[in-house]
Amino acid sequence: MSVSATARTPTTHASKYLQQLCKHWQHNLAVDFDAQQGRVTFPKDARGADWPGDAVVTFTAEPDTLVTRIDASVEGQLDGLKGAVARHLDRFAFREAPLAFDWE
C-alpha cells in the first residue's frame, strides 16, 4: 500500500530551498540532489518509528514554485512528513514564511 501527496509552493527561491533542505537531511538520511531536483528517503524506522515501508520526498525547483511530492507507506507517515517538510522549509525560508502548502 502506498499514499502520496504533492504541494506546489510559490517562491522565487525554489532551487535555493531545495538545496538547503537536502543538505540539512543528508547528514543522517539517504539524499540525492542537484540545483533542480532532490530526493530524500526517510527509513521506515526513522526516529524510532515502525512504518510498513520507507517514505520518499522529492523536490523539483521550477522558476516560481517548489514542487514537493511525498510517497509514504501509510497515511500517518504521510501526515507526519507533510508537517516535517513544512516546518523545515519555513525555517529556511523565514523571510517568506509561512509558505503556502496546498497538499493534493
Side-chain angles (χ1 to χ4, degrees), residues 12-101:
T12 58
H13 304 289
S15 177
K16 175 184 173 182
Y17 297 151
L18 173 160
Q19 292 176 72
Q20 285 180 300
L21 286 166
C22 288
K23 286 177 185 175
H24 172 74
W25 277 319
Q26 77 179 356
H27 296 291
N28 56 0
L29 299 171
V31 176
D32 182 40
F33 72 98
D34 60 28
Q36 299 306 311
Q37 294 193 343
R39 177 185 168 100
V40 182
T41 301
F42 290 83
K44 63 183 182 179
D45 59 355
R47 295 186 174 253
D50 188 22
W51 302 113
D54 295 346
V56 176
V57 179
T58 306
F59 300 103
T60 304
E62 295 180 352
D64 294 317
T65 306
L66 177 62
V67 180
T68 304
R69 178 181 170 94
I70 302 172
D71 293 293
S73 58
V74 292
E75 200 69 39
Q77 184 183 33
L78 178 67
D79 290 340
L81 285 171
K82 284 180 186 177
V85 168
R87 283 189 307 276
H88 281 80
L89 186 53
D90 277 346
R91 195 172 354 160
F92 290 122
F94 62 92
R95 288 181 181 89
E96 294 182 77
L99 294 172
F101 288 88

